[in-house]
């Protein structure tokens, strides 16, 4: 088990503090992929660098399987090479002047332990087997595809058999098509070898598809933690809701509350939705979050009274599996994703409908 407790880290730029981490705590269970998801600059890389011992936190504690890696309280700080971590950082690309074998063997030559030539050979072989690159030992690293290079970087992290892997945006240098492929490979590999991984990304698709748990970060803090479906379906604030997927946000005032179900007075009339445990009360300013993919559109007025909006289609884009529809409800723009091809045209009057139990009621940001 890995544990980070109340980590703080500030940098000083021209004498002014930049508070990169403002009290971050989380726990990773063995065999889990735990992802820090957040926009650029929110502190993800700083977190990994603190864990790796490449930065010294101002405050906090980091433990790995009951071994203290860092503690501001006791002053303990383990050297990087003794922390038993595997790292795949964007900036730790493989070395172009070395062949695959030497790239993968590198940590064994320069790590904290001494190894015999035969041991090194065996470890490298095993690591290359894991990433299905056996037989590529003498190939120059530059003669590999982007995906294969990424696998070499992974093998280099694996060779040491570390307790935890730190992956910082490992797919961000790959082009879009390759990224999907390598992401799938990575997912399979991680599960097959039962690796414990701390994954860092700003890409919500990567986070949702790879992770057992996700921590969404903003401005040096974790704002919500949970499984991918919890994060996507029950965001606790609009920042999380909009960061992990497309969302329509409609402002309003909460006028009635019955358990989790709420009625909200908006410019578009009364809308119904459910809270996901966030404390909102009658009279509060709230936001109704409606994901485009829960909306259905029809040309005949539906019988249902609630959560039906009259709209005009402004633009539509057919993308194969679905059609992205830009609509206007009065002067409020609403985006809907309709399965398949739509049966209506631009400027046509349509009705949008969305189930109350899938609409989220969130506190309006002050
Ligand atoms: N070496 C540094 N010196 C000064 N500021 C830094 C340094 N590294 C990061 N920062 C600042 O700390 C904040 C967090 O950065 P970082 O951890 O790299 O974020 P992320 O990886 O989420 O994009 C940013 O405001 C960034 O500009
Ligand atoms: Mg970063």
């Amino acid at each position: 088990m890995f544990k980070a407790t109340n980590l703080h880290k500030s940098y000083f730029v021209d004498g002014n503090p930049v508070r990169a981490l403002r009290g971050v705590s989380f726990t990773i269970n063995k065999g889990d992929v735990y992802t820090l998801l957040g926009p650029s600059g929110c502190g993800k890389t700083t977190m990994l660098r603190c864990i790796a011992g490449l930065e010294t936190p101002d405050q906090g504690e980091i433990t790995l399987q009951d071994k203290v890696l860092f503690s501001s309280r006791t002053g303990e700080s383990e050297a990087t090479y003794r922390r038993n971590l595997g790292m795949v950082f964007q900036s730790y690309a493989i070395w172009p002047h070395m062949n695959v074998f030497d790239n993968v063997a590198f940590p064994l030559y320069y790590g904290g332990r001494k190894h015999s030539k035969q041991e090194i050979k065996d470890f490298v072989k095993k690591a290359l087997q894991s990433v299905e690159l056996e037989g590529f030992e003498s190939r120059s690293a530059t003669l590999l595809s982007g995906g294969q290079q990424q696998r070499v970087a992974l093998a280099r992290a694996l060779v040491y058999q570390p307790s935890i892997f730190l992956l910082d945006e490992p797919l961000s240098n790959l082009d879009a098509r390759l990224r999907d492929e390598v992401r799938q490979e990575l997912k399979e590999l991680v599960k097959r070898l039962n690796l414990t991984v701390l994954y860092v990304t700003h890409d919500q698709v990567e986070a949702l598809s790879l992770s057992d748990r996700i921590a969404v970060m903003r401005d040096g803090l974790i704002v919500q933690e949970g499984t991918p479906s919890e994060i996507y379906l029950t965001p606790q604030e609009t920042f999380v809701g909009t960061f992990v997927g497309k969302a329509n946000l409609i402002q309003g005032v909460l006028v009635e509350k019955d358990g989790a179900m709420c009625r909200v007075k908006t410019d578009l009339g009364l809308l119904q939705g459910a809270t996901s445990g966030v404390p909102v009360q009658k009279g509060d300013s709230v936001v109704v979050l409606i994901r485009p993919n829960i909306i259905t559109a029809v040309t005949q007025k539906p019988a249902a009274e609630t959560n039906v909006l009259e709209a005009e289609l402004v633009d539509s884009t057919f993308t194969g599996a679905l059609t992205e529809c830009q609509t206007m409800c009065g002067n409020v723009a609403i985006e809907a994703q309709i399965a398949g091809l739509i049966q209506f045209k631009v400027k046509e009057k349509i009705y949008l409908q969305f189930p109350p139990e899938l609409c989220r009621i969130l506190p309006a940001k002050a």
Side-chain angles (χ1 to χ4, degrees):
M1 192 173 81
F2 172 89
K3 198 167 179 189
T5 312
N6 195 26
L7 285 182
H8 289 257
K9 174 71 187 175
S10 292
Y11 298 103
F12 284 86
V13 180
D14 301 329
N16 300 312
V18 176
R19 300 185 66 196
L21 299 176
R22 300 190 291 146
V24 178
S25 304
F26 59 93
T27 300
I28 308 175
N29 292 320
K30 196 167 181 296
D32 269 5
V33 176
Y34 191 98
T35 296
L36 301 177
L37 171 68
S40 174
C42 73
K44 305 180 298 292
T45 295
T46 301
M47 188 69 224
L48 286 196
R49 290 179 58 83
C50 286
I51 296 168
L54 303 169
E55 297 287 353
T56 306
D58 303 326
Q59 192 188 323
E61 193 169 275
I62 303 168
T63 59
L64 179 59
Q65 293 166 338
D66 300 324
K67 186 171 132 180
V68 176
L69 302 186
F70 176 84
S71 170
S72 58
R73 198 170 40 82
T74 63
E76 282 165 275
S77 185
E78 204 57 271
T80 295
Y81 72 90
R82 293 169 57 99
R83 291 193 180 201
N84 200 22
L85 314 159
M87 293 184 259
V88 181
F89 285 10
Q90 215 183 312
S91 54
Y92 274 40
I94 58 171
W95 287 287
H97 59 284
M98 290 185 193
N99 66 21
V100 168
F101 183 95
D102 289 334
N103 260 287
V104 176
F106 190 85
L108 299 174
Y109 292 129
Y110 294 96
R113 303 173 219 147
K114 284 273 166 279
H115 299 280
S116 72
K117 266 205 162 125
Q118 189 56 46
E119 261 180 336
I120 290 177
K121 247 181 144 166
D122 292 344
F123 283 162
V124 171
K125 186 175 167 159
K126 194 154 169 256
L128 286 177
Q129 269 172 352
S130 302
V131 298
E132 287 165 5
L133 277 180
E134 232 190 330
F136 283 74
E137 286 82 352
S138 55
R139 180 84 67 98
S140 161
T142 46
L143 297 178
L144 298 171
S145 71
Q148 287 170 330
Q149 291 190 14
Q150 204 52 39
R151 272 145 67 190
V152 170
L154 269 171
R156 191 175 54 195
L158 278 167
V159 77
Y160 218 72
Q161 298 182 294
S163 317
I164 187 168
F165 290 81
L166 309 179
L167 271 57
D168 193 352
E169 316 239 8
L171 308 182
S172 60
N173 285 341
L174 305 175
D175 69 57
R177 208 178 51 79
L178 193 58
R179 202 180 305 149
D180 289 351
E181 205 177 298
V182 178
R183 188 184 77 215
Q184 195 54 35
E185 275 179 19
L186 184 64
K187 185 175 178 178
E188 281 162 22
L189 178 79
V190 159
K191 285 299 156 208
R192 176 157 51 83
L193 302 177
N194 193 31
L195 305 180
T196 308
V197 175
L198 177 55
Y199 194 92
V200 156
T201 184
H202 66 273
D203 183 306
Q204 82 276 13
V205 177
E206 270 174 43
L208 292 171
S209 54
L210 284 171
S211 317
D212 294 294
R213 296 190 75 76
I214 297 173
V216 180
M217 286 185 73
R218 179 176 54 177
D219 295 341
L221 288 171
I222 291 176
V223 287
Q224 188 175 342
E225 205 236 42
T227 63
S229 59
E230 282 167 355
I231 296 285
Y232 183 83
L233 296 173
T234 55
Q236 306 284 297
E237 45 178 284
T238 53
F239 172 78
V240 175
T242 52
F243 197 75
V244 297
K246 282 189 173 173
N248 296 293
L249 302 178
I250 300 170
Q251 312 285 333
V253 175
L254 206 164
V255 290
E256 203 184 315
K257 192 163 178 242
D258 181 8
M261 284 309 277
C262 305
R263 279 177 187 276
V264 178
K265 189 165 170 264
T266 75
D267 287 350
L268 301 173
L270 276 186
L271 295 179
Q272 275 192 40
T275 69
S276 40
V278 284
V280 283
Q281 278 152 26
K282 208 169 145 175
D284 284 356
S285 291
V286 294
V287 169
V288 185
L289 182 147
I290 307 165
R291 296 233 181 263
N293 60 5
I294 68 162
I295 299 176
T296 51
V298 289
T299 49
Q300 297 293 312
K301 192 174 171 56
E305 294 275 315
T306 52
N307 290 13
V308 173
L309 298 176
E310 193 180 306
E312 185 187 281
L313 183 66
V314 176
D315 190 24
S316 72
T317 311
F318 176 63
T319 65
L322 48 85
T323 304
E324 287 173 358
C325 298
Q326 310 300 328
T327 76
M328 286 303 286
C329 298
N331 52 16
V332 179
I334 303 271
E335 185 179 339
Q337 291 175 338
I338 308 299
L341 204 54
I342 54 170
Q343 302 302 322
F344 38 85
K345 296 186 186 64
V346 166
K347 291 234 159 104
E348 198 166 331
K349 185 162 102 176
I350 54 174
Y351 295 90
L352 305 178
Q353 199 173 356
F354 33 95
E357 64 278 11
L358 296 181
C359 299
R360 287 290 151 240
I361 308 300
L362 300 169
K365 265 278 155 283

